Amino acid sequence: MTLPWKQLLLLSIIDYCLDSGSYHGPRWRMEPGDLFIPVDSIEEEATLTCDAKGTPPPQYRWSLNGTLINLGLDRRRRLSGGNLIISSLDRYQDVGIYQCMAYNTGGAILSRRASLQFAYLDHFKVHTRSAVSVREGQGVVLLCGTPTSSGDLTYAWVFNEYPYFVQQDNRRFVSQQTGNLYIAKVEPSDVGNYTCAVMNSITKGKVQSSPTSLILRTDGVMGEYEPKIEVNFPDNVPAAKGSTVTLECFALGNPVPEITWRRANGVPFPSKVKMKYSNAVLEIPSFQQDDTGGYECVAENKMGKNTATGRLAFYAKPQWIQTMKDTALAIEERLDWECRANGRPKPSYTWLKNGQQLLSEDRIHVEDGVLSVSVLTLADAGMYQCVAENKHGVIYFAAELMVLASPPDFTGNVLRALLKAKAGTTVTLECKPQAYPIASILWKKGNLPIHTNDRITLSPDGTLRLANVSKSDAGSYTCFARNRFGMSSTTGRLLVTDPTRIIQGPVDMEIIVGESIVLPCQVASDPVLDVSFSWAFNGQLIAKGDGHFELVGGRTAGDLMIRNIQLYHAGKYICVVDTDVESLSAVAVLIVKGPPSPPDSVTVEEVTDSTAQLAWSPGRDNGSPITNYLIQTRTPFTVGWQRVNTVPEIIDGNTLTATVVDLNAWVEYEFRVLAKNSVGVGEPSPVSVKTRTEDQFVGHALLLAPCEPWR
């Protein structure tokens, strides 16, 4: 895998490890692809693409067949960006495998390999072809004798003169593998001249052979004979995943043989398989591993049969299933990378660093797809590539290794200048400098080293923990960090405070609607602490803009005044006290009492000339049980609402029906109900439907009528 030309790059990247600026190694944006150029286009230019990103912008080098292209001495080849442009193409000098390298101060990477080929089709040699003499009924093979070429070819045969072509059927077949024409059983109509026509699929160029005459012998007709397979497929046919596989099979014989296909394992062909040209061609599109195995072609006529066999073998280019990531490690740490690819056959692996192959030595271990580097040094930084390869393809994957080396630096993680902690709690002081390699840590209180005990612990990451702190733990703490590149420190002061106590907090209360109260919240705290108060009502923070609420008090008091209390102010109130070191809270439940809400659904159920039966639904009691109900009425003859007499005379809070008495006959009444509790009388209910009492004389007539004789 190591290419000599890559060694020339070392001088270009030697300063990479010494570069102190911000850089990133190259990453491919575009890699070269295979080119197949018609040979008649050699006067034009060919461009092999190569484009990478990186900081600083990458530079490029190209190799051909493993040898560095010296662009300074090559007038036909030049770079445009990273693209290689070749002018005045030469069929012999420019053909081969090209590879691009992109490099900067971050390292170097190799592109995929790209082939440049020239498609051409030479002319047939000019010579007279001998006539072919056969008996009627005999089979014959006319050879094409394809001239030298490059690129896919297609074949056809001209019969006598252009544009009359041989039509393929069960008796005649043109192989696209050999170009030959096969006639299973010659008939008199076959006599004539045959010319092989070849076309290059890339150049579209066409050439024709000299004609071959087919004549019949006069010594009789060929008798019947068993099939003889002349067109066959190899014993082992490699087939790429997803490709279209074509197998040919054709036999000579008299009578004309019939061609059939079958799989050796007896499994029927899937629907995707197609038969063409009277079954002479078997086509398998989108070849998969399930299509592998033995295939048999059977040629049969009444004289017998013949069988040709072969195997289709599945192969696949490598594809990544596991790759590595860009990695930043401290000097002296260990690197472990692994890459994996699938493919058939199983791929082999190599590793490249800055375009050169890595071999196991000293600190470096390379095995299969695993790369390990122990005790990293600055020289190990660079661009690495894992390469997976089988005989059908090769793939590359790149990742950057950054090796970090620096003295301890607390710029992003200094100790707090002043840390306050409540006595009895645990204090954690973190010492986390940026340092490569990891720094050793030493803590001091004042000028004295700190020693661990059952209350003071030091974690491997440098974190200092002080449990159950007291006033004696207060003071100045300094963390010293050191590695082989230098030392640094950070200092902070610890202040231990007395616990804060709520000496008067809110208590559960009952209050009447419209009144105002103050919910107390007063604390005793260490004077060095900053104290703040906030209140929550039913889980929501009380906003300062609410006109009913006002926070009153000084540094150690956060009393809450509630003015003109309404029913909806009932609920849970929490006073939250926050200091530099702790948070406390006190809870109280406020019950707001008010007159009952209006009763509902007042209905008149039965009416006489002087009474009405009423029923209603209760409203909310608003914090105080309903003691009794009052009923009022009005008529067109009254001014406003008037209280009426009822049975029972006093309607208690558990009664929801009553009879209104002492009403006037034949008068239209409306009724409403009011509820009363210990706070007062509530708002009246909605008004009932207007109801007229009965005529008192109708009532008397009904009573007297049975006593009088009927007239």
Side-chain angles (χ1 to χ4, degrees):
M1 197 75 189
T2 302
L3 301 177
W5 68 274
K6 296 176 186 175
Q7 297 174 357
L8 300 176
L9 182 66
L10 290 180
L11 293 177
S12 301
I13 61 173
I14 196 69
D15 62 340
Y16 149 72
C17 295
L18 304 176
D19 192 324
S20 60
S22 175
Y23 60 81
H24 293 286
R27 294 290 189 281
W28 289 121
R29 283 192 291 225
M30 188 176 296
E31 298 183 65
D34 296 337
L35 292 181
F36 221 136
I37 300 175
V39 74
D40 55 4
S41 301
I42 58 176
E43 296 302 323
E44 301 177 9
E45 291 183 337
T47 300
L48 291 159
T49 57
C50 185
D51 183 33
K53 61 181 179 179
T55 306
Q59 296 177 277
Y60 302 90
R61 291 215 169 119
W62 283 85
S63 68
L64 171 58
N65 297 326
T67 301
L68 179 68
I69 299 175
N70 190 337
L71 296 174
L73 301 177
D74 195 329
R75 295 182 178 181
R76 293 189 307 108
R77 300 186 181 105
R78 70 182 191 277
L79 284 183
S80 175
N83 298 337
L84 178 65
I85 300 176
I86 308 172
S87 58
S88 301
L89 292 166
D90 187 287
R91 170 174 167 180
Y92 303 101
Q93 294 185 36
D94 296 325
V95 68
I97 302 298
Y98 288 79
Q99 195 167 28
C100 176
M101 170 183 278
Y103 63 95
N104 64 9
T105 51
I109 54 174
L110 292 178
S111 72
R112 67 178 296 275
R113 301 169 190 169
S115 67
L116 173 58
Q117 301 180 61
F118 291 90
Y120 61 90
L121 176 59
D122 289 341
H123 289 281
F124 282 93
K125 293 180 179 180
V126 180
H127 68 276
T128 302
R129 297 194 175 196
S130 301
V132 177
S133 177
V134 295
R135 294 177 180 175
E136 181 182 346
Q138 185 178 355
V140 68
V141 180
L142 300 182
L143 304 180
C144 181
T146 306
T148 56
S149 64
S150 175
D152 292 336
L153 303 178
T154 57
Y155 299 90
W157 282 78
V158 177
F159 181 53
N160 287 329
E161 60 182 18
Y162 184 84
Y164 298 103
F165 288 93
V166 173
Q167 300 300 308
Q168 298 185 74
D169 52 25
N170 66 332
R171 197 170 59 83
R172 292 168 295 190
F173 178 67
V174 178
S175 170
Q176 298 302 313
Q177 303 295 329
T178 65
N180 299 335
L181 170 62
Y182 300 84
I183 303 177
K185 172 189 172 186
V186 174
E187 297 179 353
S189 60
D190 296 324
V191 172
N193 292 323
Y194 291 84
T195 302
C196 182
V198 186
M199 184 179 75
N200 190 307
S201 300
I202 298 175
T203 67
K204 305 303 180 185
K206 300 176 183 178
V207 294
Q208 291 187 0
S209 68
S210 301
T212 300
S213 296
L214 178 65
I215 59 177
L216 288 180
R217 292 169 54 175
T218 59
D219 55 351
V221 177
M222 182 75 174
E224 295 180 340
Y225 63 96
E226 66 180 12
K228 178 184 178 184
I229 295 178
E230 287 288 347
V231 180
N232 194 8
F233 49 98
D235 292 338
N236 194 63
V237 179
K241 178 181 179 181
S243 65
T244 296
V245 178
T246 300
L247 302 179
E248 294 183 342
C249 182
F250 192 79
L252 312 182
N254 187 4
V256 174
E258 179 182 349
I259 305 296
T260 57
W261 293 85
R262 65 191 180 198
R263 295 188 65 173
N265 59 10
V267 176
F269 289 118
S271 59
K272 69 177 182 177
V273 174
K274 301 175 183 178
M275 309 287 183
K276 296 181 177 180
Y277 306 117
S278 301
N279 293 354
V281 174
L282 174 72
E283 185 177 277
I284 308 172
S286 186
F287 189 82
Q288 302 297 321
Q289 193 160 0
D290 291 345
D291 298 320
T292 59
Y295 285 74
E296 296 180 352
C297 165
V298 181
E300 185 173 7
N301 62 16
K302 68 179 183 179
M303 301 303 296
K305 65 179 179 180
N306 203 347
T307 302
T309 62
R311 292 189 61 82
L312 293 184
F314 178 83
Y315 77 83
K317 298 177 181 179
Q319 287 185 319
W320 292 118
I321 55 177
Q322 179 182 345
T323 55
M324 62 278 191
K325 296 180 180 180
D326 292 343
T327 302
L329 294 173
I331 191 171
E332 299 177 359
E333 288 189 326
R334 176 185 177 89
L335 171 70
D336 288 293
W337 268 339
E338 183 175 6
C339 64
R340 286 279 177 259
N342 55 21
R344 179 70 66 89
K346 184 179 179 181
S348 60
Y349 301 89
T350 52
W351 286 86
L352 306 177
K353 178 194 173 187
N354 295 329
Q356 287 193 303
Q357 184 175 355
L358 280 174
L359 300 174
S360 294
E361 58 177 28
D362 192 16
R363 300 171 298 107
I364 300 173
H365 180 69
V366 177
E367 183 176 359
D368 207 8
V370 177
L371 169 65
S372 300
V373 183
S374 61
V375 195
L376 287 170
T377 68
L378 289 175
D380 294 317
M383 295 300 302
Y384 288 76
Q385 286 178 282
C386 180
V387 185
E389 183 175 8
N390 63 18
K391 64 181 181 179
H392 303 291
V394 55
I395 53 177
Y396 296 76
F397 191 88
E400 184 171 7
L401 173 64
M402 291 176 282
V403 179
L404 307 175
S406 67
D409 182 6
F410 285 101
T411 301
N413 199 16
V414 297
L415 285 175
R416 289 171 56 180
L418 178 61
L419 175 64
K420 300 175 185 178
K422 183 177 70 171
T425 61
T426 297
V427 173
T428 299
L429 300 175
E430 290 187 340
C431 183
K432 293 185 176 180
Q434 185 176 7
Y436 307 103
I438 296 174
S440 59
I441 302 298
L442 173 67
W443 281 93
K444 287 186 178 182
K445 181 186 178 188
N447 294 320
L448 299 177
I450 296 176
H451 300 288
T452 59
N453 54 36
D454 57 352
R455 196 175 61 83
I456 301 175
T457 58
L458 181 62
S459 301
D461 65 356
T463 300
L464 178 66
R465 289 182 176 84
L466 309 174
N468 192 24
V469 294
S470 63
K471 295 280 188 177
S472 62
D473 292 312
S476 177
Y477 287 79
T478 301
C479 172
F480 295 90
R482 181 194 300 271
N483 66 14
R484 63 189 179 95
F485 295 107
M487 185 187 76
S488 186
S489 65
T490 179
T491 301
R493 187 164 66 92
L494 173 63
L495 183 63
V496 180
T497 65
D498 293 324
T500 302
R501 295 178 296 109
I502 296 178
I503 57 176
Q504 184 179 5
V507 296
D508 296 346
M509 298 179 66
E510 294 183 358
I511 192 165
I512 305 300
V513 167
E515 295 181 350
S516 298
I517 61 166
V518 173
L519 297 179
C521 188
Q522 300 177 10
V523 301
S525 65
D526 196 304
V528 300
L529 294 175
D530 293 325
V531 183
S532 64
F533 298 87
S534 59
W535 284 83
F537 169 49
N538 288 338
Q540 298 294 323
L541 190 66
I542 294 176
K544 294 182 179 179
D546 192 320
H548 289 276
F549 299 106
E550 182 183 356
L551 198 64
V552 296
R555 193 192 75 84
T556 60
D559 300 345
L560 179 67
M561 175 177 283
I562 312 176
R563 295 186 176 90
N564 188 21
I565 286 180
Q566 301 300 307
L567 289 171
Y568 60 80
H569 288 133
K572 180 187 289 186
Y573 288 80
I574 303 176
C575 174
V576 180
V577 182
D578 289 303
T579 73
D580 307 75
V581 298
E582 61 183 321
S583 181
L584 304 88
S585 63
V587 180
V589 175
L590 184 62
I591 298 174
V592 180
K593 294 183 177 182
S597 296
D600 197 11
S601 304
V602 178
T603 58
V604 182
E605 297 181 343
E606 185 178 343
V607 178
T608 68
D609 60 345
S610 61
T611 66
Q613 180 76 29
L614 301 185
W616 59 89
S617 299
R620 296 188 303 275
D621 64 9
N622 293 332
S624 178
I626 297 173
T627 56
N628 60 288
Y629 290 98
L630 305 175
I631 299 177
Q632 295 177 339
T633 185
R634 70 180 175 186
T635 73
F637 310 107
T638 61
V639 178
W641 291 90
Q642 297 178 354
R643 184 172 176 180
V644 295
N645 296 325
T646 60
V647 176
E649 182 177 355
I650 298 176
I651 308 168
D652 66 43
N654 295 320
T655 301
L656 300 177
T657 61
T659 301
V660 181
V661 298
D662 300 331
L663 300 178
N664 294 317
W666 201 245
V667 175
E668 195 174 61
Y669 284 89
E670 291 178 293
F671 300 95
R672 69 182 187 182
V673 181
L674 299 86
K676 182 180 180 181
N677 63 12
S678 62
V679 179
V681 178
E683 293 294 319
S685 70
V687 179
S688 70
V689 176
K690 291 180 180 180
T691 305
R692 186 183 298 275
T693 55
E694 295 181 351
D695 190 335
Q696 61 180 341
F697 298 110
V698 174
H700 292 161
L702 292 173
L703 292 172
L704 295 174
C707 301
E708 296 181 5
W710 182 259
R711 297 183 181 169

